């Protein structure tokens, strides 16, 4: 006799969507979703309507038209007769270049300063905290302008290198530091130079193989080999040997003053240097704080245990503390990289032709297609930011604590 | 159903927003002030004096229009605009007119839906170099580093000039004029290029103006003039004919000194029509009968404005050149007032 019947399901009424806590959350989420979709849809619709009323339909046809302006720093061939699209690509490459250089430099500065700030040496620790506080608390645009104008005013103009009584001279006859940028020698590749390059890369692979072998040897037999000396030997000897055997196929073209400017070498533009250093120093200050936080999150017992095993401070930091600290450091580091990349759009202040300067600057002005250009810019920065975050997340997953 | 009504209402609101811009003249009258877009600061054309009042050649056009429409030359709210945003600011309705050394080009007139009300300064792009450089012609600038203001027609002219003459150069695009001058003075570029009038104005502000020379080549035509939004012809007419009135006044010998006397009536019917003592030009334009008299009285006629702000006796020291009356070999030629 089964009197135990299932409790009758209450009949679903429409009012339960609001009054019943089981459904209320979902109801409001759906309402919010539609409200947001509607809001953005309306904004887009309104924009197209108003542009159409002004007689300006959204069109990307301008990308195929001739740009008509020149760009100073171009990583791919570009002339004023090329299209706006190609000008945009030149800008994209310039953005990526300064973001790449900036991220690497900021990381090096950040890790160094972050570690040194925890130093027991009072002077070093205070100097580093001074750096962090000064750079972190002044807007990056100001730093860009400061570093750029210091460069333009402190360094000599190319004309100062001219004549008998030149007031400036080149460093080692190869490097010229001017207020338009730094000129360095340019390698000239002659036939046969590929062999030298190949051998060079092979020897780098060899160095990594050697280090692996050395670790394995140490673990298996407890025998140590002089890794540093052998690495240096592998780095230099084969490459130099091939270089001289093939008859010195790589030479250097030195910059020399011709006319108004230095010609013949590679010019690293002052605007690139100013932007790069400012972004690196600014973001480096934030990364330093991340690194310091990460290191302090590793319990002191780890250091003491490592010291008890007889490890020296440098090794403790490198082999015990930093690998654990990385788990705390990496996630905020990702957002610092994103900040740096997005801050590179301040390039216009110093005339560095990044994507904001080409597509979002001159192209926008010359064609008047501001709506289209800004949409493209947003899309570009979105893709770049998501890519950086994606790559860094893969790295983060690789080093994070493996939970089993 | 309800949604459709809502969307419809929004559509009307959106269209109404655009329609409203077609009656700028009424808006200005109702507001009692003219919103005028000017440069962010170019000595002689638009700059603030010691009292914070905007003064200059372009500013005078704004004041003349305000005087013509409202009878009060001081009823102007000035909006300084940069090269990059000037057209958006105008098209969005934030300002009623733009008087900001803007070059009249085909694509701006046709594609950007702007309407140029005439030309108040015939200019051309030139080059300025330090005298110590020893350059006497723009053809000797092969390989030079050139500072330019980004977002102007000068970038395109520059690229064309160097391409035609088979020369190379390095552009340094700087977003504001002052920053570009800093770079030029620091020697991080050899040449500074912009409109010749702008070069003269810039040089006048230097510590040592004689240390810099403006090269003889003028590489482009730069007719600079005030502009309004496309599609509001009544308002466009007001600005166009105010400018023409200033030019015609100089041709007819009407100055701020004798205007009261001439407004009472003269033997010259053209002067009478211009100053409103004969005919009904003001009524046709939708403003008061003494509109042109107010406009001219505000700052004087074209010649007076020129001499006061950018003429030979000012630090800018520009000659009339192309900007003389057609009767004196220049290009200024106001259509007849009848």
């Amino acid at each position: 006799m089964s009197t135990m019947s299932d409790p009758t399901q209450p009949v679903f009424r429409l009012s339960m969507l609001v009054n019943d806590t089981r459904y209320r959350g979902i109801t409001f989420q759906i309402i919010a979703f539609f409200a947001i979709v509607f809001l953005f849809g309306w904004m887009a619709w309104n924009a197209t309507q108003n542009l159409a009323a002004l007689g300006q339909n959204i069109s990307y046809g301008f990308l195929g038209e001739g740009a008509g302006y020149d760009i100073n720093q171009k990583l791919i061939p570009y002339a004023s007769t090329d299209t706006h699209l190609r000008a945009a690509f030149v800008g994209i490459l310039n953005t990526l270049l300064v973001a790449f250089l900036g991220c690497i430099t900021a990381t090096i500065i950040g890790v160094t300063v972050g570690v040194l700030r925890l130093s027991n040496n009072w002077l070093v620790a205070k100097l580093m905290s001074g750096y962090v506080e000064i750079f972190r608390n002044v807007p990056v645009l100001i730093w860009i302008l400061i570093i750029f104008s210091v460069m333009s005013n402190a360094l000599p103009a190319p004309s100062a290198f001219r004549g008998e009584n030149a007031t400036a001279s080149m460093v080692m006859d190869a490097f010229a530091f001017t207020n338009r940028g730094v000129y360095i020698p340019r390698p000239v590749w002659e036939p046969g130079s590929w062999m030298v390059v190949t051998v060079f890369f092979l020897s780098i692979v060899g160095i990594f193989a050697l280090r692996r072998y050395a670790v394995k040897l140490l673990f298996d037999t407890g025998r140590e080999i002089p890794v540093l000396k052998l690495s240096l030997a592998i780095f230099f000897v084969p490459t130099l040997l091939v270089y001289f055997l093939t008859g010195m196929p790589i030479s250097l073209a030195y910059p020399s003053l011709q006319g108004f400017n230095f010609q013949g070498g590679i010019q690293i533009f002052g605007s690139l240097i100013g932007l790069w250093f400012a972004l690196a120093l600014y973001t480096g200050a934030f990364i330093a704080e991340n690194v310091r936080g990460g290191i302090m999150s590793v319990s002191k017992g780890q250091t003491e245990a490592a010291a008890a095993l007889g490890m020296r401070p440098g090794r403790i930091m490198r082999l015990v503390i930093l690998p654990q600290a990385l788990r705390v450091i990496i996630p905020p580091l990702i957002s610092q990289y994103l900040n740096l990349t997005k801050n590179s759009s301040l390039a216009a202040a110093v005339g560095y032709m990044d994507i904001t300067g080409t597509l979002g600057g001159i192209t926008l002005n010359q064609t008047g297609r501001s709506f289209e250009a800004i949409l493209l810019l947003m899309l570009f920065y979105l893709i770049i930011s998501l890519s950086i975050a994606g790559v860094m997340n893969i790295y983060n997953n690789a080093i994070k604590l493996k939970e089993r | 159903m309800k949604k459709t009504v809502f969307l419809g209402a929004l559509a009307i609101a959106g269209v109404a927003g655009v329609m409203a811009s077609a009656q700028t003249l009424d808006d200005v009258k109702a507001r009692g002030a003219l919103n005028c877009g000017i440069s962010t600061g170019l000595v002689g054309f638009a700059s603030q004096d010691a009292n914070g009042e905007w003064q200059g050649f372009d500013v005078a056009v704004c004041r003349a229009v305000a005087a013509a429409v409202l009878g009060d030359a001081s009823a102007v709210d000035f909006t300084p605009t940069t090269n990059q945003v000037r057209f958006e600011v105008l098209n969005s309705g934030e300002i009623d007119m733009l008087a900001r050394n803007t070059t009249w080009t085909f694509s701006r007139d046709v594609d950007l839906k702007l309407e140029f009300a005439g030309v108040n300064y015939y200019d051309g792009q030139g080059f300025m170099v330090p005298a110590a450089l020893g350059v006497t012609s723009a053809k000797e600038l092969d390989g030079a580093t050139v500072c330019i203001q980004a977002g102007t027609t000068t970038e395109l002219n520059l690229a064309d000039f160097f391409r035609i003459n088979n020369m190379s150069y390095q552009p340094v695009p700087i977003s504001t004029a002052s920053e570009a001058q800093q770079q030029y003075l620091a020697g991080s570029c050899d040449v500074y290029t912009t409109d010749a009038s702008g070069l003269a104005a810039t040089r006048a502000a230097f510590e040592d103006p004689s240390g810099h020379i403006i090269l003889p080549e003028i590489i482009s035509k730069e007719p600079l003039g005030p502009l309004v939004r496309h599609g509001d012809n009544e308002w466009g007419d007001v600005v166009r004919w105010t400018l023409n009135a200033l030019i015609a006044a100089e041709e007819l010998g009407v100055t701020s000194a004798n205007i009261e006397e001439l407004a009472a009536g003269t033997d010259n019917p053209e002067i009478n029509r211009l100053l409103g003592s004969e005919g009904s030009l003001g009524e046709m334009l939708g403003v008061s009968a003494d509109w042109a008299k107010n406009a001219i009285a505000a700052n004087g006629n074209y010649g007076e404005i020129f001499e006061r702000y950018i003429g030979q006796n000012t630090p800018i020291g520009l000659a009339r050149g192309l900007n003389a009356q057609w009767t004196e070999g220049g290009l200024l030629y106001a259509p007849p007032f009848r």
Side-chain angles (χ1 to χ4, degrees):
Chain A
M1 192 173 158
S2 64
T3 50
M4 292 277 283
S5 63
D6 287 340
T8 49
Q9 287 284 351
V11 187
F12 181 78
R13 293 185 311 276
L14 212 56
S15 60
M16 286 168 67
L17 282 179
V18 177
N19 297 331
D20 194 319
T21 45
R22 281 172 299 175
Y23 303 113
R24 188 156 46 194
I26 298 169
T27 315
F28 282 123
Q29 282 184 46
I30 290 176
I31 291 174
F33 174 75
F34 278 107
I36 289 169
V37 167
F38 175 74
L39 184 71
F40 280 96
W42 177 70
M43 276 158 63
W45 176 84
N46 191 39
T48 41
Q49 286 292 309
N50 278 325
L51 281 174
L54 284 170
Q56 291 183 329
N57 293 316
I58 294 199
S59 149
Y60 281 96
F62 70 93
L63 286 176
E65 290 162 15
Y69 60 90
D70 284 297
I71 299 175
N72 48 15
Q73 178 185 305
K74 46 206 176 219
L75 300 178
I76 50 172
Y78 168 85
S80 61
T81 41
D82 284 322
T83 61
H84 283 296
L85 186 64
R86 197 171 176 85
F89 274 118
V90 173
I92 287 176
L93 289 176
N94 285 347
T95 295
L96 293 179
L97 175 71
V98 76
F100 178 74
L101 292 174
C103 285
I104 300 225
T105 321
T107 312
I108 295 171
I109 295 175
V111 173
T112 316
V113 173
V115 172
L116 288 184
R117 209 183 157 179
L118 293 170
S119 161
N120 290 326
N121 184 320
W122 186 86
L123 187 65
V124 170
K126 289 299 162 196
L127 271 179
M128 292 306 143
S129 47
Y131 156 76
V132 168
E133 294 308 334
I134 290 173
F135 272 86
R136 212 167 49 148
N137 293 310
V138 174
V140 65
L141 177 62
I142 311 277
W143 281 119
I144 294 174
L145 289 174
I146 289 176
I147 294 181
F148 183 59
S149 51
V150 164
M151 265 197 62
S152 356
N153 290 300
L155 289 174
S159 56
F161 291 79
R162 192 179 291 123
E164 293 293 313
N165 310 316
T167 51
S169 59
M170 291 171 71
V171 178
M172 297 191 300
D173 280 333
F175 302 92
F177 295 87
T178 76
N179 60 359
R180 290 174 196 177
V182 175
Y183 296 82
I184 59 170
R186 182 168 50 88
V188 180
W189 310 100
E190 281 157 38
S193 55
W194 63 270
M195 280 166 59
V196 181
V197 177
T198 316
V199 169
F200 176 70
F201 280 109
L202 280 179
S203 46
I204 288 182
V205 174
I207 290 172
F208 276 97
L210 172 78
R211 295 178 76 94
R212 280 203 127 165
Y213 171 74
V215 172
K216 192 173 171 326
L217 199 67
L218 180 69
F219 282 11
D220 289 353
T221 68
R223 216 147 52 77
E224 273 193 276
I225 49 172
V227 179
L228 185 68
K229 278 182 196 161
L230 282 174
S231 300
L232 284 175
I234 296 176
F235 189 82
F236 284 111
V237 176
T239 312
L240 287 178
L241 211 60
V242 174
Y243 177 71
F244 286 111
L245 281 180
T246 50
M248 297 190 273
I250 304 171
S251 59
L252 290 174
Y254 292 100
S256 62
L257 191 61
Q258 282 162 22
F260 294 100
N261 285 314
F262 280 92
Q263 311 280 350
I266 295 175
Q267 182 184 5
I268 306 167
F269 283 86
S271 50
L272 170 64
I273 296 174
L275 188 64
W276 167 20
F277 280 31
L279 288 174
L281 287 169
Y282 178 77
T283 315
F286 287 90
I287 294 178
E289 286 300 273
N290 291 344
V291 170
R292 186 171 69 105
I295 291 172
M296 288 174 80
S297 75
V298 180
S299 104
K300 203 169 177 350
Q302 297 276 338
T303 319
E304 289 165 355
L309 288 176
M311 292 176 92
R312 271 163 290 167
R315 282 206 161 163
I316 295 176
M317 182 55 77
R318 211 152 36 84
L319 298 175
V320 178
I321 308 295
L322 273 184
Q324 299 185 71
L326 274 182
R327 290 170 196 141
V328 180
I329 294 171
I330 295 297
L333 189 67
I334 300 175
S335 80
Q336 291 306 334
Y337 283 175
L338 296 183
N339 278 345
L340 189 146
T341 309
K342 287 179 287 179
N343 283 342
S344 74
S345 62
L346 293 169
V350 289
Y352 181 76
M353 296 304 279
D354 71 335
I355 180 74
T356 317
T358 56
L359 178 67
I362 306 183
T363 294
L364 185 153
N365 275 303
Q366 304 298 359
T367 60
R369 297 280 175 192
S370 45
F371 199 75
E372 293 89 334
I374 296 292
L375 276 182
L376 269 186
L377 268 187
M378 286 167 63
L379 186 70
F380 167 73
Y381 280 110
L382 189 68
I383 290 174
I384 289 300
S385 297
L386 289 178
S387 312
I388 293 174
V391 170
M392 292 302 291
N393 278 331
I394 292 173
Y395 180 61
N396 190 29
N397 285 335
I399 58 138
K400 80 174 178 195
L401 201 59
K402 303 287 185 299
E403 288 173 358
R404 296 189 180 89
Chain B
M1 180 63 201
K2 266 187 181 158
K3 205 168 184 178
T4 323
V5 173
F6 183 47
L7 277 175
L10 283 175
I12 290 165
V15 172
V18 174
M19 292 287 284
S21 67
Q23 295 133 13
T24 313
L25 181 56
D26 294 337
D27 289 349
V28 173
K29 281 181 183 168
R31 202 188 301 131
L34 173 74
N35 291 336
C36 195
I38 49 169
S39 149
T40 48
L42 181 63
V43 178
F45 288 85
S47 59
Q48 278 172 308
D49 64 13
N51 303 322
E53 290 285 312
W54 284 97
Q55 298 290 351
F57 189 69
D58 284 330
V59 171
V61 176
C62 299
R63 295 205 187 277
V65 172
V69 177
L70 303 164
D72 179 5
S74 61
V76 192
D77 289 332
F78 291 104
T79 304
T81 57
T82 61
N83 283 326
Q84 281 90 351
V85 303
R86 52 185 163 177
F87 302 129
E88 267 92 46
V89 172
L90 179 63
N91 263 333
S92 68
E94 207 175 304
I95 55 175
D96 304 312
M97 62 177 284
L98 183 69
R100 180 196 185 287
N101 36 15
T102 301
T103 307
W104 186 355
T105 67
F106 181 94
S107 61
R108 282 175 180 173
D109 198 335
V110 177
D111 193 34
L112 295 189
K113 306 288 171 193
L114 303 166
E115 183 149 325
F116 284 82
V119 175
N120 70 337
Y121 191 89
Y122 289 94
D123 209 341
Q125 185 177 345
F127 297 101
M128 176 162 62
V129 294
L133 208 57
V135 172
T136 53
S137 158
K139 299 272 172 68
E140 297 167 19
L141 291 177
D142 193 9
T145 303
V146 185
C147 273
I148 35 174
Q149 258 190 77
T152 61
T153 46
T154 54
E155 283 160 332
L156 307 185
N157 298 330
L158 188 69
D160 286 351
F161 176 77
F162 277 85
R163 195 167 80 227
I164 291 166
N165 289 297
N166 229 341
M167 301 193 297
S168 65
Y169 73 106
Q170 266 183 12
V172 179
I174 307 282
S175 50
T176 65
S178 56
E179 192 71 21
Q181 288 158 25
Q182 290 287 319
Q183 291 299 312
Y184 170 73
L185 287 176
S188 62
C189 33
D190 304 300
V191 190
Y192 180 52
T193 181
T194 185
D195 296 340
S197 63
L199 289 180
T202 305
R203 188 173 61 167
F206 284 171
E207 222 168 278
D208 173 26
S210 60
H212 302 269
I213 55 168
I214 294 172
L215 298 178
E217 280 89 352
I218 296 293
I219 64 166
S220 68
K221 289 188 287 186
E222 307 283 341
L224 311 178
L227 55 155
V228 297
R229 275 181 296 278
H230 190 83
D232 186 355
N233 298 19
E234 286 78 16
W235 177 244
D237 287 343
V238 170
V239 178
R240 175 175 304 112
W241 285 97
T242 305
L243 178 61
N244 282 334
L246 297 178
I247 295 170
E250 188 191 14
E251 188 189 344
L252 296 169
V254 181
T255 66
S256 53
N258 65 12
I259 191 161
E260 289 299 333
E261 183 190 326
L262 294 176
T266 64
D267 300 336
N268 186 338
E270 178 127 25
I271 293 180
N272 291 348
R273 280 195 298 273
L274 177 67
L275 299 182
S277 60
E278 200 178 307
S280 55
L281 296 186
E283 193 187 321
M284 292 179 208
L285 202 55
V287 293
S288 65
D290 58 356
W291 65 280
K293 178 185 161 238
N294 293 335
I296 297 160
N299 284 289
N301 64 33
Y302 181 90
E304 290 176 87
I305 295 172
F306 195 102
E307 289 310 325
R308 181 179 322 154
Y309 296 116
I310 55 177
Q312 298 280 25
N313 298 324
T314 64
I316 320 261
L318 290 170
R320 285 297 286 268
L322 291 175
N323 298 292
Q325 292 286 334
W326 63 286
T327 48
E328 303 187 358
L331 291 175
L332 292 184
Y333 186 102
F337 278 78
R338 64 170 67 250

